[in-house]
Amino acid sequence: MRILLQFPEGLKRHASEYAERLEKQGNEVFLVARSTYGACDLALEEAKAIGAEKIVHFGHNRYIKTSPGIEVEYVPWKIEVDISLLKGFAKMLKEKGVRKIGIATTVQHIHQLNDMKRLFDKNGIKALTKKGKMALEEGQVLGCDASALDVDAETLVIVADGNFHALSAFDIDKKDIYSLNPYNGKWKLLNEELMRFRKQRKGALIAAYGAKSFGILVSTKPGQFRMKIAENAKKELEKRGKRAYVLVSNIIDSSIDNFMFIDAYVNTACPRMVDDKDSYAKPMIDISELKNLLKMWDRKD
Ligand code: SF4
């Protein structure tokens, strides 16, 4: 069998052991060389180019709901953490009088979510979980989907290393949102950072308000490809007298700034591209924010 192995950056160092094992079983094995950004980024183009019969995608679980037209095996990478490290955080919440939280974590730690819930329970805190819209597992948060935290609790906890997943909760309006590092038990109250993030989004909207021509960004990555939505956005912009161009690419980077006639971007690809706003010379809004821009123009008329 011709098998294509796909690893995110942090796991590429493990590729040789899997390749050797599969080759010994009589398979022909190929490795995806480029960066892999998430579960949405299945290497279908590469698989087609080399005639692969199967993709093994490491580090994420299933994200794409439609059939990719090729056998795909997902190998989520489980990382075992010492749950007792989270005791200090649970105690701090208890002392603050918190009795109920919403909790979510990333795919690497989702197998220990019940242990985490039990730890909070022992401290008299009920930990609520929910299955998000895009995630496969209950309580799983993605960089583009924090809907697992849409629960009836005013304190939310995202157990993840770094802020990337935690900041996906930027449009959730709750009293306190914490990120909790599962490797060392350190926590961070994110309220101010989330507020800054929201302000940046408003700033981008105001900057795009005066634009006359728009680049609508479409990524061909299977889980990000939103061509129909991009074409509708183009129509809506043109109805309001704007010029709009659909820019299509697998990877979207600052080379789009060379389309100098474009004043602002509407991103239909990974919604977290707006985090990299400083990499682009023009304001960028996410497709989910376009309706607000249209309303702003329509109100003015
Ligand atoms: S769309 Fe972005 S945030 Fe969502 S899985 Fe893909 S890379 Fe991650």
Side-chain angles (χ1 to χ4, degrees), residues 37-40 63 143-144 164 224 270-271:
Y37 291 94
C40 59
Y63 172 90
C144 51
F164 178 75
Q224 297 186 21
C270 170

PDB file of all heavy atoms in Angstrom, residues 37-40 63 143-144 164 224 270-271, ligand 1:
ATOM      1  N   TYR A  37      -0.853  22.593   9.824  1.00  0.00           N
ATOM      2  CA  TYR A  37      -1.339  23.602  10.768  1.00  0.00           C
ATOM      3  C   TYR A  37      -2.418  23.107  11.729  1.00  0.00           C
ATOM      4  O   TYR A  37      -2.660  23.723  12.743  1.00  0.00           O
ATOM      5  CB  TYR A  37      -1.843  24.828   9.999  1.00  0.00           C
ATOM      6  CG  TYR A  37      -0.704  25.570   9.349  1.00  0.00           C
ATOM      7  CD1 TYR A  37      -0.330  25.315   8.037  1.00  0.00           C
ATOM      8  CD2 TYR A  37       0.028  26.492  10.072  1.00  0.00           C
ATOM      9  CE1 TYR A  37       0.741  25.982   7.463  1.00  0.00           C
ATOM     10  CE2 TYR A  37       1.097  27.153   9.501  1.00  0.00           C
ATOM     11  CZ  TYR A  37       1.443  26.891   8.197  1.00  0.00           C
ATOM     12  OH  TYR A  37       2.513  27.538   7.645  1.00  0.00           O
ATOM     13  N   GLY A  38      -3.104  22.059  11.386  1.00  0.00           N
ATOM     14  CA  GLY A  38      -4.178  21.622  12.290  1.00  0.00           C
ATOM     15  C   GLY A  38      -4.916  20.453  11.682  1.00  0.00           C
ATOM     16  O   GLY A  38      -4.566  19.949  10.603  1.00  0.00           O
ATOM     17  N   ALA A  39      -5.976  20.047  12.376  1.00  0.00           N
ATOM     18  CA  ALA A  39      -6.776  18.915  11.912  1.00  0.00           C
ATOM     19  C   ALA A  39      -7.444  19.220  10.571  1.00  0.00           C
ATOM     20  O   ALA A  39      -7.778  18.314   9.810  1.00  0.00           O
ATOM     21  CB  ALA A  39      -7.833  18.602  12.959  1.00  0.00           C
ATOM     22  N   CYS A  40      -7.601  20.510  10.295  1.00  0.00           N
ATOM     23  CA  CYS A  40      -8.261  20.950   9.052  1.00  0.00           C
ATOM     24  C   CYS A  40      -7.362  20.738   7.839  1.00  0.00           C
ATOM     25  O   CYS A  40      -7.809  20.787   6.706  1.00  0.00           O
ATOM     26  CB  CYS A  40      -8.577  22.434   9.151  1.00  0.00           C
ATOM     27  SG  CYS A  40      -7.063  23.387   9.407  1.00  0.00           S
ATOM     28  N   TYR A  63     -11.752  16.064  11.960  1.00  0.00           N
ATOM     29  CA  TYR A  63     -12.289  17.421  11.953  1.00  0.00           C
ATOM     30  C   TYR A  63     -13.200  17.608  10.735  1.00  0.00           C
ATOM     31  O   TYR A  63     -14.242  18.215  10.825  1.00  0.00           O
ATOM     32  CB  TYR A  63     -11.104  18.388  11.880  1.00  0.00           C
ATOM     33  CG  TYR A  63     -11.419  19.847  11.685  1.00  0.00           C
ATOM     34  CD1 TYR A  63     -11.609  20.676  12.790  1.00  0.00           C
ATOM     35  CD2 TYR A  63     -11.488  20.416  10.419  1.00  0.00           C
ATOM     36  CE1 TYR A  63     -11.852  22.027  12.627  1.00  0.00           C
ATOM     37  CE2 TYR A  63     -11.738  21.772  10.256  1.00  0.00           C
ATOM     38  CZ  TYR A  63     -11.913  22.567  11.358  1.00  0.00           C
ATOM     39  OH  TYR A  63     -12.157  23.912  11.193  1.00  0.00           O
ATOM     40  N   GLY A 143      -8.425  25.616  18.221  1.00  0.00           N
ATOM     41  CA  GLY A 143      -8.072  27.019  18.039  1.00  0.00           C
ATOM     42  C   GLY A 143      -9.183  27.808  17.362  1.00  0.00           C
ATOM     43  O   GLY A 143      -9.302  29.018  17.527  1.00  0.00           O
ATOM     44  N   CYS A 144     -10.043  27.108  16.598  1.00  0.00           N
ATOM     45  CA  CYS A 144     -11.125  27.777  15.879  1.00  0.00           C
ATOM     46  C   CYS A 144     -12.487  27.432  16.467  1.00  0.00           C
ATOM     47  O   CYS A 144     -13.511  27.757  15.867  1.00  0.00           O
ATOM     48  CB  CYS A 144     -11.094  27.367  14.415  1.00  0.00           C
ATOM     49  SG  CYS A 144     -11.048  25.575  14.201  1.00  0.00           S
ATOM     50  N   PHE A 164      -2.757  29.797  22.728  1.00  0.00           N
ATOM     51  CA  PHE A 164      -3.431  29.707  21.429  1.00  0.00           C
ATOM     52  C   PHE A 164      -4.863  29.181  21.562  1.00  0.00           C
ATOM     53  O   PHE A 164      -5.807  29.788  21.049  1.00  0.00           O
ATOM     54  CB  PHE A 164      -2.623  28.817  20.472  1.00  0.00           C
ATOM     55  CG  PHE A 164      -3.286  28.635  19.140  1.00  0.00           C
ATOM     56  CD1 PHE A 164      -3.285  29.663  18.210  1.00  0.00           C
ATOM     57  CD2 PHE A 164      -3.940  27.453  18.811  1.00  0.00           C
ATOM     58  CE1 PHE A 164      -3.914  29.517  16.978  1.00  0.00           C
ATOM     59  CE2 PHE A 164      -4.573  27.295  17.578  1.00  0.00           C
ATOM     60  CZ  PHE A 164      -4.552  28.324  16.666  1.00  0.00           C
ATOM     61  N   GLN A 224     -10.660  24.055   5.534  1.00  0.00           N
ATOM     62  CA  GLN A 224     -10.789  25.514   5.557  1.00  0.00           C
ATOM     63  C   GLN A 224     -11.433  26.048   4.269  1.00  0.00           C
ATOM     64  O   GLN A 224     -11.712  27.241   4.179  1.00  0.00           O
ATOM     65  CB  GLN A 224      -9.406  26.165   5.693  1.00  0.00           C
ATOM     66  CG  GLN A 224      -8.691  25.846   6.980  1.00  0.00           C
ATOM     67  CD  GLN A 224      -7.381  26.631   7.116  1.00  0.00           C
ATOM     68  OE1 GLN A 224      -7.179  27.660   6.483  1.00  0.00           O
ATOM     69  NE2 GLN A 224      -6.493  26.141   7.946  1.00  0.00           N
ATOM     70  N   CYS A 270      -8.564  29.767   8.021  1.00  0.00           N
ATOM     71  CA  CYS A 270      -8.485  29.581   9.482  1.00  0.00           C
ATOM     72  C   CYS A 270      -8.783  30.895  10.199  1.00  0.00           C
ATOM     73  O   CYS A 270      -8.105  31.902   9.953  1.00  0.00           O
ATOM     74  CB  CYS A 270      -7.073  29.099   9.842  1.00  0.00           C
ATOM     75  SG  CYS A 270      -6.785  29.126  11.626  1.00  0.00           S
ATOM     76  N   PRO A 271      -9.784  30.911  11.072  1.00  0.00           N
ATOM     77  CA  PRO A 271     -10.154  32.186  11.713  1.00  0.00           C
ATOM     78  C   PRO A 271      -9.033  32.760  12.575  1.00  0.00           C
ATOM     79  O   PRO A 271      -9.046  33.943  12.889  1.00  0.00           O
ATOM     80  CB  PRO A 271     -11.375  31.820  12.570  1.00  0.00           C
ATOM     81  CG  PRO A 271     -11.355  30.341  12.696  1.00  0.00           C
ATOM     82  CD  PRO A 271     -10.637  29.799  11.499  1.00  0.00           C
TER      83      PRO A 271
HETATM   84  S1  SF4 B   1      -8.918  26.108  11.140  1.00  0.00           S
HETATM   85 FE1  SF4 B   1      -7.110  26.943  12.224  1.00  0.00          FE
HETATM   86  S2  SF4 B   1      -7.535  26.712  14.368  1.00  0.00           S
HETATM   87 FE2  SF4 B   1      -8.978  25.394  13.271  1.00  0.00          FE
HETATM   88  S3  SF4 B   1      -8.008  23.372  13.209  1.00  0.00           S
HETATM   89 FE3  SF4 B   1      -7.392  24.471  11.350  1.00  0.00          FE
HETATM   90  S4  SF4 B   1      -5.453  25.494  11.839  1.00  0.00           S
HETATM   91 FE4  SF4 B   1      -6.436  24.894  13.782  1.00  0.00          FE
END
